[in-house]
Amino acid sequence: MSITITAFANSLDQGAGLARDMIVRWALEEVGQPYAMRLIPWADFKKPEHRARNPFGQIPTYEEGDLILFESGAIVLHIAERFPGLLPANANARARAIAWMFAVVSDIEPLIVQREVMEYLESDKAWAAERMPLVEQRIGDRLTELSARLGEADWLDGDFSAADVLMVQALRRIERQTPLVEFARLVAYMERGKARPAFKRAFAAQKADYDATKD
Ligand code: GTB
């Protein structure tokens, strides 16, 4: 059954592979599934046709036969359950990998989004200079905890899993805001993710789409 995912045409990330279609592309590359892209122009995101795929008019979305999904975490979980390669067979290890997926979307990403909202939408507010260090402190505290848990391990819990796809992408986004110099283990972890052939294929594909559609 063919798979189609959506992304921005002329992506805001300028081919840096930081918009969330990269998460889905990477997961599909890991499980060896081909996919088609629907690149949506800026003018069309909030139109009914796209809202039928995603009620919030956002990317990415995922179409496979009758199934239409939104939310990158849910899409990656679906891919990992549908095709072998991204979740362990052992039931307990699988449950732990899924717990890590939820940890990324509920305990890590909101901090990143808070930081981005402050930087791009609230920097002119009187309280911005006072609040930003608090937001950055929260990110730093969470990364300290994450680094302590990762320790010397290659991946979050045993073998590489869907959770690592989500976590590496979250760290790549944090790195763009705040260099991770204090977190050598997290940098090494992120680099291991980026060295995977599936990551490289996904990155090249999104870059090619950006180059083909940029203004
Ligand atoms: N929780 C949803 C999910 O995980 O799927 C969040 C989806 C989301 O935020 N999508 C963004 C979007 O569609 C694009 S990825 N925004 C348009 C809108 O809300 O109207 C977020 C993103 C955008 C740009 C960069 N960048 O330029 O580096 C990075 C990440």
Side-chain angles (χ1 to χ4, degrees):
M1 193 153 312
S2 67
I3 293 169
T4 301
I5 65 181
T6 52
F8 299 129
N10 190 20
S11 182
L12 264 186
D13 69 6
Q14 301 182 316
L18 292 170
R20 289 168 192 263
D21 56 290
M22 176 65 194
I23 299 172
V24 179
R25 292 176 191 258
W26 183 8
L28 286 168
E29 292 288 352
E30 288 286 349
V31 299
Q33 288 299 313
Y35 58 92
M37 291 303 303
R38 190 195 306 280
L39 298 176
I40 307 187
W42 280 101
D44 294 348
F45 278 103
K46 306 299 178 189
K47 289 189 175 163
E49 188 186 343
H50 187 58
R51 282 193 194 273
R53 299 181 202 106
N54 180 325
F56 309 128
Q58 294 185 316
I59 62 101
T61 61
Y62 176 97
E63 292 159 72
E64 181 196 323
D66 290 343
L67 176 65
I68 304 177
L69 284 176
F70 64 105
E71 280 302 325
S72 54
I75 294 170
V76 172
L77 180 56
H78 168 75
I79 293 168
E81 289 188 321
R82 173 98 170 70
F83 307 105
L86 278 175
L87 280 176
N90 173 275
N92 285 0
R94 198 177 179 92
R96 287 195 304 273
I98 293 171
W100 271 114
M101 295 179 76
F102 276 79
V104 179
V105 299
S106 62
D107 298 330
I108 306 275
E109 287 193 343
L111 297 174
I112 306 174
V113 173
Q114 244 181 59
R115 168 84 175 58
E116 286 180 353
V117 167
M118 282 227 59
E119 184 172 349
Y120 300 120
L121 304 177
E122 298 175 347
S123 59
D124 58 340
K125 304 288 184 232
W127 38 263
E130 212 174 334
R131 183 160 192 262
M132 186 57 113
L134 301 175
V135 171
E136 291 194 326
Q137 180 67 45
R138 278 184 213 122
I139 296 175
D141 290 349
R142 188 45 52 85
L143 294 181
T144 302
E145 293 166 327
L146 178 64
S147 177
R149 170 53 79 96
L150 183 67
E152 299 305 319
D154 278 354
W155 306 115
L156 289 171
D157 192 302
D159 291 340
F160 180 85
S161 80
D164 295 297
V165 170
L166 297 184
M167 188 68 88
V168 167
Q169 275 302 109
L171 292 177
R172 292 188 63 235
R173 250 175 107 180
I174 291 176
E175 193 197 26
R176 197 184 214 192
Q177 304 171 344
T178 316
L180 293 171
V181 281
E182 294 166 50
F183 300 99
R185 282 174 180 162
L186 297 182
V187 171
Y189 166 70
M190 198 174 58
E191 294 303 325
R192 273 192 293 283
K194 286 162 62 179
R196 292 180 71 83
F199 175 95
K200 290 183 179 170
R201 287 193 297 273
F203 187 91
Q206 64 77 35
K207 177 80 168 59
D209 284 341
Y210 172 70
D211 288 341
T213 56
K214 71 183 170 192
D215 290 335

